[in-house]
Amino acid sequence: MAASGGGAGGGGGGSSSGSASGDMDDALSRLASSNNALQNLIRRLGTGLEDLLPNVHGRARMKEVLQCLKEHDNEVKQMEALTELCEMLSMGQEEMLIGFSVDAFLPVLVELLGMEHNPEIMLLSSRALTHLLEVLPKASAKVAASGAVPVFCQRLLTIEFMDVAEQSLLAMHKLAVEHPEPLLRSNGLAAVLTFIDFFDTNTQRTAAQTAANICRHVPVDGFPLVLDLVPNLTQLLSHSDQKITESAVLAFARLVDSFLESDDHLQSIAAQGMLPKLVALLRPGDREGRGFDVGISTYTSIVKTLAVCCRGSPYLAVSLLEEGVIPTVRSIIKKEEDERLEGNSLMAVVAVMRPLDQLFHTLTLANELLPPVPVDDTLSLFVTAVSRGSDAAQDLFGRQPSRGCLEAHAASHPGTLDEYAQLLFPILVDISVTIVNEAIRIKCLSAMAKLFCSMPADKLLSVVKDSPIVGYIAGFLSSGNGPVMGLALIITDMLMSKQPNALAQRFAREGIVYEVSRLASKEPVNPSPSIDALVAQARHIHEVRFGPGSQAAISAETDTLLESAAAVAKLLEEGDRQGLRRARELLSGEDTLSSYQVVTSGLAESMLRYLTSRGPEGLAAFVDEFCERESVVEKLR
């Protein structure tokens, strides 16, 4: 019994001991986990807080390495310490990095980087800094401000040891992503581009990417630091390697964005041949020995760069016109494989296959190739009132005051406007109707307004008389979109001022006279500057262009086609099949009905009622009349 009780008692004691041991293990596990979390937190909070932790192995070893690096009288020991440091940083071991102090190591590494008598130490220190930037990206600001950048640049500007130069380039490549300005001010652009041809292709790609990053957000006072390197960048635009070429494109895109407000700076950037080389990259058949076409994003970047150049400097727009850029602009929208497509089919391809930003920048470029609309106080106030935060004002007027160079070019090269009207105007018309995007529609209408303003009256008539644009203006006027309605009013006034007699009847038939009159009679329920300006402009046009006794007003009042369409609508309402035959005659003759006349006369509504109320027999009669197949009715019966 005693033995049994002892056994039981022993068993109970063992269970209690095991439970206590388990609790202890769990507590130690939680403590270790908390300690690791605390170490991570302190490392993230900054340097100098490591001493709050126990003297773990990683911190102790880092201190030993740092001490060895400072032993300047023992370069062998320094090299061993550098080698170990590079290994630890490259592996990124958590327990080692906990004890790494950027503030402690950085000055020592920069000092070692300048030991020109020992290339191995220079190489290892630059490699350590590169690994540091990879494993601790947040330390890049400290590295950029540490004095290392001028040393990196010097290693590339006076190449004595190729491996040291390449390692310096890798470090600069890391720094340029977040801190381009310190590199720029240390002559970093010259450092990465001056001897780029001496490196292998992969290293050249790194140099070109670094140059592109250095060109981002260049300050105004940094322009002299990039100007001398523009020829080097321009040369890279025709490089045989696609990635290097695309990096050069990106560099120019960033330079142009940095100085888009300065005409002089833009001209200086383009002076070394940038424009023709960029245009060549847009032309599939003009590869200049290249075996590649640039990617879509680079292609779009080129178009944007050209558009920004023209917007910022009309002189560059003239240079592009002299390069014959108009067919190229057309080819961006309508590519070789689309040549057989027209109208809606082409626009469907454009809408689906072209990136919207690429189309926007292409239309901006097309717009900036035309002379600006002359400014007067009335027109300027009107456009400002209706533009509603859009680019309509700058699209129309450009930079003011106008330099006059585009106007002079158009006067001395009238064929340029003819080419524009032939190649780009029809596409602008189609896009303005098909692509439902306010910014793109504004670009199209602004370009049309500038073209109409610049063209002589006789040539203008030949451009618009067979174009559907007149039929679309009424729709723009009724769109309810302030900038679009404003541009439509401007176009209406321009066309009527240059060809009042030739276009009056068509303006009446297409409903433009009606829409202007409707807008002029509008009394705003909630007055706003935009609505007030639109109504005032419509009243002005109605009074000056469409007033009583004007050719347009007379044409609107005596619209025989509209009367005929109304009579046909009445026949259809009465169920007379003759209405179908007469409707076909009105819609298929030389003098056909416009959309406005079909809707206003009631013909569309009457036709729909005729077909829906008579079932298969009405549909058969419609097919019979419009398809001229008399047997259809019999077959359906």
Side-chain angles (χ1 to χ4, degrees):
M1 294 290 293
S4 175
S15 174
S16 175
S17 175
S19 174
S21 175
D23 291 343
M24 180 64 70
D25 290 341
D26 185 55
L28 289 173
S29 175
R30 288 199 302 270
L31 180 61
S33 176
S34 300
N35 187 43
N36 288 336
L38 180 60
Q39 290 175 350
N40 290 333
L41 175 62
I42 290 179
R43 182 170 59 81
R44 289 175 179 275
L45 288 175
T47 58
L49 298 180
E50 302 95 334
D51 292 329
L52 296 176
L53 294 173
N55 189 12
V56 293
H57 171 69
R59 187 166 60 89
R61 184 58 193 147
M62 282 294 181
K63 285 187 176 182
E64 293 175 8
V65 170
L66 179 62
Q67 189 60 40
C68 291
L69 292 177
K70 293 180 178 180
E71 295 189 19
H72 297 292
D73 56 345
N74 191 339
E75 294 186 359
V76 173
K77 209 168 187 179
Q78 286 180 319
M79 288 180 61
E80 292 175 351
L82 280 170
T83 302
E84 183 178 355
L85 179 62
C86 286
E87 290 177 355
M88 288 189 292
L89 289 174
S90 64
M91 296 177 67
Q93 295 177 347
E94 189 78 13
E95 63 274 12
M96 291 298 181
L97 293 178
I98 289 173
F100 185 83
S101 169
V102 175
D103 290 339
F105 275 85
L106 193 53
V108 179
L109 290 174
V110 173
E111 183 180 2
L112 295 174
L113 190 64
M115 294 181 63
E116 297 184 0
H117 67 281
N118 192 325
E120 289 297 326
I121 286 182
M122 289 193 297
L123 175 62
L124 289 171
S125 57
S126 61
R127 186 172 295 161
L129 287 169
T130 305
H131 290 322
L132 171 62
L133 292 169
E134 290 175 348
V135 75
L136 296 174
K138 292 183 179 180
S140 60
K142 293 182 178 181
V143 176
S146 67
V149 172
V151 183
F152 287 141
C153 293
Q154 190 60 33
R155 297 291 168 265
L156 285 165
L157 288 170
T158 55
I159 299 177
E160 296 181 33
F161 307 101
M162 186 61 74
D163 50 357
V164 175
E166 290 179 351
Q167 192 64 53
S168 298
L169 176 61
L170 290 174
M172 292 178 65
H173 179 61
K174 301 290 183 186
L175 285 171
V177 176
E178 295 292 337
H179 304 283
E181 188 171 342
L183 272 70
L184 175 68
R185 296 195 182 281
S186 298
N187 213 15
L189 197 58
V192 300
L193 291 178
T194 300
F195 298 111
I196 188 172
D197 293 335
F198 287 86
F199 298 105
D200 61 68
T201 300
N202 285 331
T203 306
Q204 288 185 39
R205 290 174 179 174
T206 302
Q209 291 169 3
T210 306
N213 286 331
I214 293 174
C215 290
R216 187 175 64 247
H217 305 308
V218 177
V220 175
D221 62 345
F223 184 71
L225 296 171
V226 302
L227 183 59
D228 291 341
L229 280 304
V230 166
N232 303 60
L233 284 173
T234 304
Q235 192 173 12
L236 295 182
L237 289 174
S238 53
H239 200 279
S240 59
D241 182 81
Q242 179 176 351
K243 291 185 177 180
I244 293 174
T245 297
E246 292 184 342
S247 292
V249 169
L250 181 59
F252 275 111
R254 289 171 169 174
L255 284 179
V256 167
D257 282 341
S258 298
F259 300 103
L260 54 84
E261 299 296 333
S262 173
D263 190 335
D264 292 338
H265 285 160
L266 290 176
Q267 289 187 61
S268 298
I269 292 170
Q272 302 299 322
M274 174 191 75
L275 294 180
K277 287 184 179 293
L278 289 179
V279 172
L281 290 171
L282 296 176
R283 294 170 175 159
D286 190 5
R287 291 184 171 182
E288 295 184 352
R290 300 187 312 273
F292 61 88
D293 290 326
V294 295
I296 292 177
S297 61
T298 301
Y299 194 93
T300 301
S301 182
I302 294 171
V303 177
K304 180 186 176 183
T305 300
L306 295 176
V308 172
C309 284
C310 294
R311 201 170 184 84
S313 173
Y315 294 105
L316 297 184
V318 170
S319 298
L320 279 177
L321 288 171
E322 292 173 347
E323 286 289 329
V325 77
I326 291 176
T328 304
V329 175
R330 180 179 183 272
S331 70
I332 298 172
I333 302 173
K334 187 174 184 178
K335 299 187 182 298
E336 289 182 359
E337 58 268 27
D338 305 327
E339 279 301 323
R340 296 184 179 180
L341 301 178
E342 297 290 345
N344 292 336
S345 299
L346 173 62
M347 289 305 104
V349 170
V350 170
V352 174
M353 303 301 294
R354 307 290 184 271
L356 195 62
D357 58 339
Q358 183 186 110
L359 182 59
F360 176 82
H361 295 311
T362 305
L363 294 173
T364 300
L365 175 59
N367 193 337
E368 298 301 330
L369 294 174
L370 291 167
V373 173
V375 179
D376 61 60
D377 293 340
T378 303
L379 184 59
S380 178
L381 290 173
F382 169 67
V383 174
T384 301
V386 302
S387 60
R388 201 187 59 198
S390 69
D391 290 337
Q394 189 167 357
D395 286 342
L396 279 177
F397 305 130
R399 280 197 176 168
Q400 296 301 323
S402 173
R403 302 292 182 92
C405 52
L406 278 166
E407 294 88 334
H409 183 270
S412 59
H413 300 80
T416 299
L417 292 178
D418 296 338
E419 183 182 37
Y420 193 104
Q422 179 185 355
L423 297 181
L424 294 182
F425 173 67
I427 294 178
L428 293 175
V429 173
D430 288 340
I431 292 176
S432 69
V433 178
T434 309
I435 308 297
V436 186
N437 178 285
E438 178 184 289
I440 285 178
R441 183 166 286 175
I442 288 172
K443 294 290 181 188
C444 293
L445 293 177
S446 299
M448 286 186 241
K450 292 165 78 171
L451 178 65
F452 297 159
C453 182
S454 301
M455 293 198 79
D458 55 337
K459 289 186 176 181
L460 176 61
L461 181 60
S462 65
V463 170
V464 300
K465 69 177 181 179
D466 296 324
S467 169
I469 182 59
V470 177
Y472 297 148
I473 291 175
F476 297 144
L477 289 172
S478 61
S479 66
N481 183 296
V484 171
M485 294 170 68
L487 288 166
L489 286 173
I490 291 172
I491 289 174
T492 299
D493 194 40
M494 284 181 180
L495 293 176
M496 288 303 297
S497 67
K498 291 193 172 186
Q499 287 290 349
N501 296 325
L503 296 175
Q505 184 178 13
R506 193 164 175 203
F507 270 46
R509 288 178 50 190
E510 297 290 354
I512 298 174
V513 175
Y514 169 80
E515 289 296 339
V516 171
S517 300
R518 184 187 62 81
L519 185 56
S521 61
K522 188 173 183 179
E523 295 295 337
V525 178
N526 298 310
S528 70
S530 177
I531 297 297
D532 292 344
L534 288 168
V535 171
Q537 184 71 2
R539 289 173 179 171
H540 169 74
I541 294 174
H542 184 266
E543 179 182 348
V544 176
R545 311 296 181 194
F546 304 147
S550 66
Q551 185 66 40
I554 294 172
S555 297
E557 293 168 0
T558 60
D559 190 343
T560 55
L561 273 177
L562 184 62
E563 294 173 358
S564 299
V568 171
K570 187 176 181 182
L571 288 174
L572 291 173
E573 290 289 346
E574 296 170 353
D576 190 340
R577 180 170 170 169
Q578 289 294 323
L580 291 175
R581 184 170 296 130
R582 292 187 58 186
R584 178 175 61 82
E585 292 170 354
L586 287 174
L587 292 169
S588 60
E590 292 184 6
D591 200 12
T592 185
L593 290 172
S594 68
S595 300
Y596 163 76
Q597 290 169 322
V598 170
V599 174
T600 305
S601 66
L603 179 58
E605 189 176 352
S606 298
M607 181 76 75
L608 178 63
R609 271 198 296 268
Y610 181 90
L611 294 174
T612 55
S613 64
R614 281 164 178 75
E617 198 170 312
L619 181 59
F622 175 84
V623 174
D624 185 20
E625 292 296 341
F626 278 80
C627 299
E628 298 182 336
R629 292 168 59 189
E630 295 182 359
S631 61
V632 171
V633 176
E634 295 299 327
K635 287 182 179 179
L636 287 176
R637 286 176 179 171

